[in-house]
Amino acid sequence: MGMKVAALAGGVGGAKLADGLAAVLPPEDLTIIVNTGDDFEHLGLTICPDVDTVIYTLAGMAHPESGWGRRDETWAFLETLGVLGGPTWFRLGDRDMALHVLRTDRLRAGQPLSQIVRDAAQALGVRPRVLPMSDDRVRTIVRTIEGELSFQEYFVARRFEPAVVGFRFEGAASARPAPDVVESLERADLVVLCPSNPWVSLDPILAVPGVREAVSRRPVVGVSPIISGRAVKGPAAKMFQELGIAPSPVAVAEHYHGLLAGLVIDKADAALSPAVEAAGVRASVQPTWMRKPGDRRRLARAVLELAAELRRQPAAP
Amino acid sequence: MGMKVAALAGGVGGAKLADGLAAVLPPEDLTIIVNTGDDFEHLGLTICPDVDTVIYTLAGMAHPESGWGRRDETWAFLETLGVLGGPTWFRLGDRDMALHVLRTDRLRAGQPLSQIVRDAAQALGVRPRVLPMSDDRVRTIVRTIEGELSFQEYFVARRFEPAVVGFRFEGAASARPAPDVVESLERADLVVLCPSNPWVSLDPILAVPGVREAVSRRPVVGVSPIISGRAVKGPAAKMFQELGIAPSPVAVAEHYHGLLAGLVIDKADAALSPAVEAAGVRASVQPTWMRKPGDRRRLARAVLELAAELRRQPAAP
């Protein structure tokens, strides 16, 4: 009798709302489908930044400030790597390394990522289901005025400085959704688009054949990652601007055109509520900035309330 | 004008004597050629136990009791690996991991092991040259009454319990000595056979085409790894027994027949001195058990003195 929810999530903001949903829903009613477009290979290891952020956040192990990595981390590996002249630009903690090494070894042995993610989540005490969007390799390529850059090159090495002109999701066209991704969307009473970067966190998920179609057949509620024209974290607002779109909840509503029934927008953007509604999307004005764990739960409840409201009174087509 | 020394070494005992030689010789006069037959793949990482033991020991970083790994080690990686259900039978420390991950990544990129070893030794402050016996893959296979076992399977997983019937060094026949292995032997005024396991530590080195020939053309002095019929550490004595040979310095002298001019044997085995000499090998009776760093230096000096004595008065052919 519970409401089944499937949430699409990227990194930090997505993980926080997923954690809020996990706090207010029975675990069996929540599936989190996570972006793998920014996965990359480093030191021979396959790193899955968004999947790991979601797992660590739901396990209560995420670092409270940095937004990546673990709370209880030590750095003996990285320090020694530096002494040996190895690359230290990507911060790999001692405990975090266990996840990367084990995952890489199991991937090389031919095991699917989804199985590895399921086992890791289970081992760390995460109860809702966490699914990578695909077991096949998809890599987000950022097209910039300086040419194409791999996501981590753009994001970490270049600190998202080069202006973007577009995106490609290499491998997406031939990727299959991971087992149960489409099924969990079809089962869902509600699909949540978490407040993740629309261009590089959620679009890669929607680019996997079959996912957008499955999402479009369900009631969908999103949370705007843009507040007062800015992103809480990362380059989302900068990307909208560089693509010639004023960053706002309205731009977010239009970005997901044809998918979205409702959008939670921040109270700082209350004046934009009519414009969101004019785009055919029901707006709910709420505090959306998730500073404390309590904020995550409150935002999750606001999402579920907006969905309930839409069920009672659907948005105009 | 210094005496140039090339030492063949396996793990702990070999590393200790190499460390003693490093303390009494100018670094440019010492080359240590290390067994790679017990290298293995674990969790997707290439592990080189003997090379690492030699590097850590010469860097003053070796764990004083265990005989492997580092003195200043932490275990957050392994602990988390256990939580994740990964294999923990092979103890990988956080700092140690940096060496394994960087080596594996560079090997995959096509760099030769000898270059990786040189860089690691240099980064950790090791001044004598450390050379892996070969850049090519050689793997020691232990033939036992239960069938063939890989070295680590025999050594760690089976705790050298199955009785041995022989050994194979897979890949040795087509392996080339690493750059400068043969040259450093040809340049050497003395070749030292460290007190390592003759069967599985030094025989793999001698099995690389060209190495035995180069050693046989130089004055060679060894140190018996067998004291009072027992090995200080590991299965050397057990192997002699299982192969039908009474373990003793005499057996060691005979094992290296045709190579050895002199052998340092322990004072506990003083009575066997005539039998060693009867095998055509000059014996020097010394305390050979290396408990403290000072013992390593004293044993190194005893080896050099025996070599000097043999130069003055060669052994009977």
Side-chain angles (χ1 to χ4, degrees):
Chain A
M1 68 152 282
M3 181 162 70
K4 296 216 176 291
V5 174
L8 273 52
V12 183
K16 284 183 175 176
L17 181 58
D19 188 44
L21 290 166
V24 302
L25 291 168
E28 62 275 17
D29 289 348
L30 177 60
T31 300
I32 303 147
I33 300 166
V34 188
N35 174 41
T36 60
D38 54 1
D39 292 6
F40 72 116
E41 277 69 43
H42 177 58
L43 278 168
L45 304 170
T46 299
I47 316 267
C48 303
D50 285 357
V51 170
D52 291 356
T53 295
V54 167
I55 290 178
Y56 288 150
T57 301
L58 267 75
M61 290 173 172
H63 193 282
E65 275 104 45
S66 68
W68 55 268
R70 293 176 59 137
R71 177 191 294 275
D72 57 340
E73 193 54 283
T74 57
W75 303 96
F77 167 80
L78 197 76
E79 187 190 305
T80 310
L81 192 68
V83 170
L84 293 172
T88 55
W89 62 269
F90 192 85
R91 310 274 304 162
L92 291 164
D94 298 329
R95 294 186 185 279
D96 194 32
M97 276 294 287
L99 204 52
H100 304 316
V101 169
L102 192 60
R103 171 171 49 222
T104 303
D105 188 44
R106 292 180 61 181
L107 285 171
R108 281 219 185 83
Q111 294 181 31
L113 180 62
S114 54
Q115 184 184 329
I116 299 165
V117 168
R118 185 192 61 201
D119 291 349
Q122 197 172 335
L124 297 181
V126 174
R127 301 193 54 210
R129 193 157 33 168
V130 179
L131 300 177
M133 66 192 202
S134 179
D135 284 332
D136 301 322
R137 181 193 169 99
V138 178
R139 291 294 181 266
T140 297
I141 306 291
V142 183
R143 298 172 49 224
T144 78
I145 52 169
E146 302 178 21
E148 295 199 333
L149 297 171
S150 73
F151 183 76
Q152 295 299 329
E153 206 177 340
Y154 164 80
F155 192 74
V156 181
R158 300 298 309 276
R159 295 166 184 275
F160 44 92
E161 180 267 326
V164 303
V165 298
F167 308 93
R168 279 200 304 122
F169 308 118
E170 209 167 76
S174 59
R176 290 151 302 173
D180 223 35
V181 162
V182 169
E183 295 78 356
S184 66
L185 289 167
E186 286 170 346
R187 265 197 314 273
D189 301 301
L190 169 67
V191 175
V192 176
L193 302 186
C194 288
S196 297
N197 188 311
W199 304 100
V200 293
S201 292
L202 298 199
D203 279 358
I205 308 178
L206 295 168
V208 176
V211 173
R212 175 178 281 271
E213 294 67 19
V215 171
S216 70
R217 286 193 292 267
R218 311 306 308 148
V220 180
V221 166
V223 174
S224 173
I226 303 287
I227 303 178
S228 302
R230 300 172 60 176
V232 173
K233 201 172 152 62
K238 183 172 178 287
M239 286 174 173
F240 273 108
Q241 261 157 349
E242 288 161 359
L243 294 167
I245 306 165
S248 77
V250 184
V252 173
E254 283 166 356
H255 184 88
Y256 295 125
H257 183 76
L259 288 183
L260 212 55
L263 184 66
V264 178
I265 69 174
D266 194 76
K267 55 189 168 49
D269 291 319
L272 296 172
S273 182
V276 170
E277 304 244 339
V281 173
R282 182 76 51 84
S284 167
V285 178
Q286 302 287 341
T288 63
W289 203 311
M290 293 176 281
R291 288 180 183 83
K292 297 175 195 158
D295 299 337
R296 304 175 188 181
R297 290 194 292 276
R298 268 189 297 276
L299 185 55
R301 281 197 205 95
V303 167
L304 300 181
E305 278 157 24
L306 177 54
E309 191 193 310
L310 282 161
R311 258 202 307 278
R312 291 190 299 269
Q313 186 186 350
Chain B
M1 66 153 281
M3 183 162 68
K4 296 214 175 295
V5 174
L8 272 52
V12 184
K16 284 182 176 176
L17 181 57
D19 189 44
L21 290 166
V24 302
L25 290 168
E28 63 275 18
D29 288 349
L30 177 60
T31 301
I32 303 147
I33 300 164
V34 187
N35 174 42
T36 60
D38 54 4
D39 291 5
F40 71 116
E41 278 67 45
H42 177 59
L43 277 168
L45 304 170
T46 300
I47 316 265
C48 304
D50 285 358
V51 170
D52 290 357
T53 296
V54 168
I55 289 179
Y56 287 150
T57 302
L58 268 75
M61 290 171 173
H63 193 282
E65 275 103 48
S66 66
W68 56 267
R70 293 177 58 138
R71 174 193 295 276
D72 57 340
E73 195 54 283
T74 57
W75 303 96
F77 167 80
L78 197 77
E79 188 189 304
T80 310
L81 191 68
V83 170
L84 293 172
T88 55
W89 62 270
F90 192 84
R91 309 275 302 163
L92 291 163
D94 297 329
R95 295 185 184 280
D96 195 31
M97 275 293 286
L99 205 52
H100 304 315
V101 169
L102 192 59
R103 172 171 48 221
T104 303
D105 188 45
R106 292 181 62 180
L107 285 171
R108 282 218 186 85
Q111 294 181 30
L113 181 62
S114 53
Q115 184 184 327
I116 299 165
V117 168
R118 184 192 63 200
D119 291 349
Q122 198 171 333
L124 298 181
V126 174
R127 299 194 56 210
R129 192 155 36 165
V130 179
L131 300 176
M133 67 192 203
S134 179
D135 284 332
D136 300 321
R137 182 191 168 98
V138 178
R139 291 294 181 267
T140 296
I141 306 291
V142 183
R143 297 171 50 224
T144 78
I145 52 169
E146 300 179 23
E148 296 198 334
L149 297 172
S150 73
F151 182 76
Q152 296 299 330
E153 207 176 341
Y154 165 79
F155 193 72
V156 181
R158 301 297 310 273
R159 295 167 185 274
F160 44 91
E161 180 266 325
V164 303
V165 297
F167 308 91
R168 281 197 306 121
F169 309 117
E170 209 167 76
S174 59
R176 290 151 302 174
D180 223 35
V181 162
V182 169
E183 295 77 356
S184 66
L185 289 167
E186 285 170 347
R187 265 197 315 270
D189 301 301
L190 170 66
V191 174
V192 176
L193 301 186
C194 289
S196 296
N197 188 310
W199 303 101
V200 292
S201 292
L202 299 199
D203 279 359
I205 308 179
L206 295 168
V208 177
V211 173
R212 175 177 279 273
E213 294 67 19
V215 171
S216 71
R217 286 194 291 267
R218 311 306 306 149
V220 180
V221 165
V223 174
S224 173
I226 303 288
I227 303 178
S228 302
R230 300 174 61 177
V232 173
K233 201 172 153 60
K238 182 170 178 290
M239 286 174 173
F240 273 107
Q241 261 156 349
E242 288 161 0
L243 294 167
I245 306 165
S248 77
V250 183
V252 174
E254 282 165 356
H255 183 88
Y256 295 125
H257 182 76
L259 288 182
L260 213 54
L263 184 66
V264 178
I265 68 174
D266 195 76
K267 54 191 169 50
D269 290 320
L272 296 172
S273 182
V276 170
E277 304 244 340
V281 173
R282 183 77 50 86
S284 167
V285 179
Q286 303 287 342
T288 64
W289 203 311
M290 293 176 281
R291 288 182 182 84
K292 297 174 196 160
D295 299 338
R296 304 175 187 180
R297 290 193 293 277
R298 268 189 297 277
L299 185 54
R301 281 197 204 97
V303 167
L304 300 181
E305 278 157 23
L306 177 55
E309 191 195 310
L310 281 161
R311 258 202 308 279
R312 289 189 303 267
Q313 189 186 348

